[in-house]
Amino acid sequence: MKKQPDRPVLITDAALSQSDQLRSRQIRYVTMMGIRAGCLILGAVLISAKAPLLPLWLILCAAGMVFLPWAAVLIANDRPPKTKAERYEARNRERQRHALDRHSAEQNEERTIDADD
C-alpha cells in the first residue's frame, strides 16, 4: 500500500512555469530600459529649461543611464531562488557523486599494472 504524504501539496506552492518566469523578467527589463529612456528625455528637458542645479540633475540622469542597463541585464538573467526541495536534492546528488568518486578511487588503488609482467 502506498503511503500518503502527511500534508497535501498545494498548487499555490508550485513554481512558476519557465514561460511565466521569462515573461516577468522581460517586463522588468523593458520597464528599466523605459526608465533609462526617461532619464535621457528628462536630461534634455532640464537642459532646455535651464533648471537650477543643472549639473547635479545631469549627473543623476547620467548615472541612471549608466547603471540601469547593467542592473536590467542582471535582473533579466536572474532566476527565482531555489526552493528547499531543490537545495536538498542538489546536496544529495553532490553526496552521491563524492561517494562514487571515493569508491572508484579505492578500486583504482587496489589494481596495479606492472610493465615487467
Side-chain angles (χ1 to χ4, degrees):
M1 179 180 217
K2 187 176 180 182
K3 184 180 177 194
Q4 296 294 325
D6 294 335
R7 290 179 42 206
V9 177
L10 299 175
I11 191 66
T12 56
D13 291 340
L16 290 175
S17 68
Q18 292 291 329
S19 60
D20 289 342
Q21 289 178 18
L22 177 64
R23 178 77 178 139
S24 69
R25 290 194 317 256
Q26 287 173 339
I27 290 171
R28 282 184 281 174
Y29 180 82
V30 169
T31 302
M32 293 180 84
M33 290 296 103
I35 294 170
R36 179 182 185 217
C39 286
L40 178 65
I41 293 169
L42 179 65
V45 168
L46 289 174
I47 288 174
S48 65
K50 295 185 175 54
L53 301 173
L54 183 62
L56 175 65
W57 290 112
L58 291 178
I59 289 172
L60 290 174
C61 286
M65 289 188 313
V66 169
F67 172 73
L68 282 171
W70 172 75
V73 168
L74 286 180
I75 290 172
N77 289 326
D78 194 18
R79 68 175 293 275
K82 290 183 179 180
T83 63
K84 287 183 181 181
E86 289 173 326
R87 289 192 304 261
Y88 179 75
E89 287 296 321
R91 261 195 318 265
N92 282 342
R93 279 194 305 263
E94 189 67 24
R95 286 180 187 151
Q96 289 174 354
R97 190 174 61 86
H98 283 305
L100 289 173
D101 289 346
R102 189 174 345 109
H103 180 66
S104 64
E106 290 171 358
Q107 286 179 344
N108 288 341
E109 289 175 4
E110 295 172 1
R111 191 176 76 197
T112 304
I113 299 174
D114 193 4
D116 294 335
D117 287 339

